[in-house]
């Protein structure tokens, strides 16, 4: 039987939210242990587009929503971390783009009128032209307008690797996770036969949280899954592009991010309205056909005759909302020693950590002395998911 362990905070789930929380708590002197049954970052995290939103895309009708207000400060906090001067030291994480862009095709330029009616929106954007345009749009046939957003795009695999480095010895690979109770009170977890006691237990396992709650006999907080059907395209002719392309509705027509691949080419990762409800209903061949048609209309100068195509289905795990609406903020629920939550977006991982820290402070949970952790089996770190698809 493995020896028992004790810690201040036991975290289950090694996506960006759990890893960020773990690093923040360790920096403040808490003893932590993060447990994961798979690869670190291998769920939703590595499949995100890496955009650190400032909320602008949620204001396409000219009004700042609750979502845009909640997320507005995230780019600043992430930039400080990337500079090594913030709440975490993320220096060394690869920055793919120092800005994200809003791209209006020529036929839709008039749709920006209501968007720029808001002073708060105007303060976050600036138009770019000529050689300031993203490389993929620097073509004589480009007729649209492009606006630079105060956002950024990260290479998520390098982010996960850095957060795992900040975890030090506090990572534990697991195959079986069970509740550890004293009487009716949850006091920790039994991981592969090892008892781990903690002042607080945090579930931040994304889509795996529902299973963890079920093992405890809990049905709340309820979780929803909002599916996406993303498209990947790799071709020798592709150049970097990080942009929301406007359509006629409240969501971007497509959202493009670009990622370097091992063979030196660029891969475009396509989300936005393309990947949502109608896209989810399509099979892979139909979804790729629609993506080809979209790119032929939006960037007709691109030669995609040698392109490789694939799709990827993702279930975004979130707290349940009426009509499966998108949550505005990170979410945290509490029951005794157990805290359960979802960041709801990669960019909101610091907000999720804020909520956990506030709960600890309110309950008087402070760092305590614990024996040094023994050598523990560590979960592997995920790599770029696209290398296995294209």
């Amino acid at each position: 039987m493995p020896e028992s362990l004790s810690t201040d905070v036991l975290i289950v789930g090694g996506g960006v939210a759990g890893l960020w929380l773990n690093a923040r708590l360790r920096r403040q002197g808490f003893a932590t242990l993060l447990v994961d049954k798979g690869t670190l970052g291998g769920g939703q995290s590595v499949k995100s587009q890496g955009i650190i939103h400032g909320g602008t895309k949620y204001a396409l009708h000219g009004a700042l929503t609750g979502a845009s207000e909640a997320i507005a400060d995230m780019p600043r906090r992430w930039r400080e971390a990337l500079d090594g001067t913030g709440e975490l030291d993320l220096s060394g994480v690869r920055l793919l783009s120092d800005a994200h862009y809003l791209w209006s095709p020529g036929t839709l330029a008039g749709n920006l009128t209501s968007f720029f009616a808001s002073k708060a929106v105007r303060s976050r954007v600036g138009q770019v032209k000529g050689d300031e345009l993203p490389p993929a749009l620097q073509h004589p046939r480009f007729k649209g307008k492009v606006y630079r957003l105060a956002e950024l795009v990260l290479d998520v695999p390098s982010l996960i690797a850095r957060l795992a480095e900040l975890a030090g010895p506090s990572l534990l690979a697991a195959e079986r996770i069970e509740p550890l109770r004293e009487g009716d009170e949850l006091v920790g977890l039994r991981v592969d036969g090892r008892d781990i006691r903690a002042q607080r237990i945090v579930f931040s396992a994304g889509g795996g949280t529902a299973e963890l709650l079920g093992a405890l006999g809990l049905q709340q907080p309820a979780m929803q899954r909002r599916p996406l059907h993303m498209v990947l395209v790799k071709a020798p002719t592709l150049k970097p592009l990080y942009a929301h392309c406007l359509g006629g509705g409240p969501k971007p027509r497509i959202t493009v991010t670009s990622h370097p691949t091992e063979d030196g080419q660029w891969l475009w990762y396509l989300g936005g309205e393309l990947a949502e409800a109608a896209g989810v209903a399509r099979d892979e061949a139909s979804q790729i056909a629609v993506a080809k048609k979209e790119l032929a209309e939006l960037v007709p100068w691109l030669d995609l005759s040698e392109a490789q195509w694939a799709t990827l289905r993702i279930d975004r795990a979130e707290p349940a909302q009426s009509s499966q609406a998108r949550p505005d903020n990170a979410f945290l629920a509490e029951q005794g020693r157990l805290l359960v939550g979802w960041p709801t977006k990669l960019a909101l991982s610091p907000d999720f950590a804020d909520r956990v820290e506030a709960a600890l402070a309110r309950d008087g949970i402070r760092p305590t002395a614990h024996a040094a952790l023994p050598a523990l089996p560590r979960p592997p770190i995920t790599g770029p998911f696209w290398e296995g698809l294209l």
Side-chain angles (χ1 to χ4, degrees):
M1 177 71 69
E3 63 182 305
S4 298
L5 299 174
S6 66
T7 191
D8 293 325
V9 182
L10 176 57
I11 303 166
V12 184
V16 169
L19 288 165
W20 186 289
L21 172 64
N22 187 51
R24 275 259 297 263
L25 294 176
R26 286 175 58 79
R27 190 168 186 176
Q28 295 172 22
F30 285 94
T32 66
L33 192 59
L34 185 149
V35 179
D36 198 280
K37 294 175 71 174
T39 58
L40 296 174
Q44 285 179 250
S45 289
V46 77
K47 299 177 183 69
S48 78
Q49 291 187 282
I51 306 165
I52 305 303
H53 290 290
T56 310
K57 80 165 190 174
Y58 301 131
L60 293 183
H61 287 320
L64 289 174
T65 65
S68 56
E69 287 297 318
I71 206 170
D73 197 37
M74 291 300 119
R76 177 192 64 81
R77 292 176 66 173
W78 281 84
R79 286 182 192 278
E80 290 177 354
L82 291 169
D83 290 341
T85 61
E87 57 209 70
L88 295 180
D89 180 0
L90 298 184
S91 54
V93 172
R94 183 172 185 175
L95 183 65
L96 293 175
S97 180
D98 190 50
H100 205 246
Y101 293 85
L102 190 69
W103 161 28
S104 175
T107 57
L108 291 173
N111 291 354
L112 290 172
T113 302
S114 62
F115 178 74
F116 288 111
S118 166
K119 180 179 179 181
V121 169
R122 289 199 304 271
S123 69
R124 301 182 187 187
V125 300
Q127 187 172 1
V128 296
K129 299 178 181 179
D131 59 8
E132 293 182 342
L133 289 169
L137 302 182
Q138 292 183 20
H139 192 277
R141 294 174 65 186
F142 177 69
K143 303 300 182 183
K145 293 185 178 181
V146 177
Y147 297 83
R148 189 180 192 275
L149 306 181
E151 302 178 349
L152 57 157
V153 187
L154 305 182
D155 175 63
V156 178
S158 73
L159 169 64
I160 294 165
R162 175 56 179 158
L163 290 172
E165 182 181 3
L166 293 176
S170 69
L171 301 175
L172 174 61
E175 294 183 4
R176 185 175 179 84
I177 300 174
E178 304 167 281
L180 178 64
R181 291 189 172 93
E182 290 181 356
D184 293 332
E185 183 183 6
L186 181 71
V187 297
L189 298 172
R190 181 170 289 121
V191 179
D192 297 337
R194 186 196 304 266
D195 290 352
I196 305 176
R197 288 175 167 78
Q199 297 190 70
R200 289 293 183 270
I201 303 118
V202 181
F203 286 174
S204 62
T209 295
E211 179 183 347
L212 290 167
L213 291 172
L216 299 180
L218 300 175
Q219 296 181 333
Q220 297 294 328
M223 188 182 81
Q224 70 182 26
R225 296 178 185 271
R226 287 197 303 128
L228 290 173
H229 195 184
M230 307 288 287
V231 178
L232 300 87
V233 54
K234 184 174 76 169
T237 55
L238 291 183
K239 297 179 180 180
L241 178 61
Y242 303 91
H244 302 300
C245 179
L246 285 177
K251 295 180 180 179
R253 178 174 173 178
I254 60 169
T255 293
V256 184
T257 54
S258 307
H259 307 266
T261 61
E262 288 183 349
D263 60 6
Q265 296 186 31
W266 284 95
L267 173 147
W268 281 10
Y269 192 29
L270 310 178
E273 188 71 24
L274 168 72
E276 303 245 359
V280 170
R282 299 183 192 110
D283 61 23
E284 180 178 18
S286 299
Q287 181 71 338
I288 289 173
V290 171
K292 288 180 176 179
K293 183 175 183 292
E294 285 285 82
L295 293 184
E297 292 179 2
L298 295 170
V299 283
W301 53 87
L302 281 184
D303 177 6
L304 297 178
S305 59
E306 298 181 24
Q308 296 173 262
W309 299 82
T311 70
L312 179 67
R313 292 187 181 273
I314 306 170
D315 279 334
R316 293 166 292 182
E318 303 164 339
Q321 309 285 298
S322 61
S323 303
Q324 283 209 320
R326 180 191 64 239
D328 283 346
N329 308 297
F331 172 88
L332 188 70
E334 305 171 51
Q335 183 172 323
R337 296 192 188 197
L338 179 64
L339 291 78
V340 182
W342 295 267
T344 73
K345 292 192 75 65
L346 175 82
L348 285 167
S349 295
D351 182 38
F352 177 71
D354 290 346
R355 292 167 189 270
V356 174
E357 288 186 9
L360 299 180
R362 182 201 62 216
D363 295 342
I365 305 299
R366 296 181 176 83
T368 56
H370 293 273
L373 290 170
L376 298 170
R378 291 170 66 92
I381 301 173
T382 192
F385 68 87
W386 53 82
E387 298 297 347
L389 291 175
L390 291 171

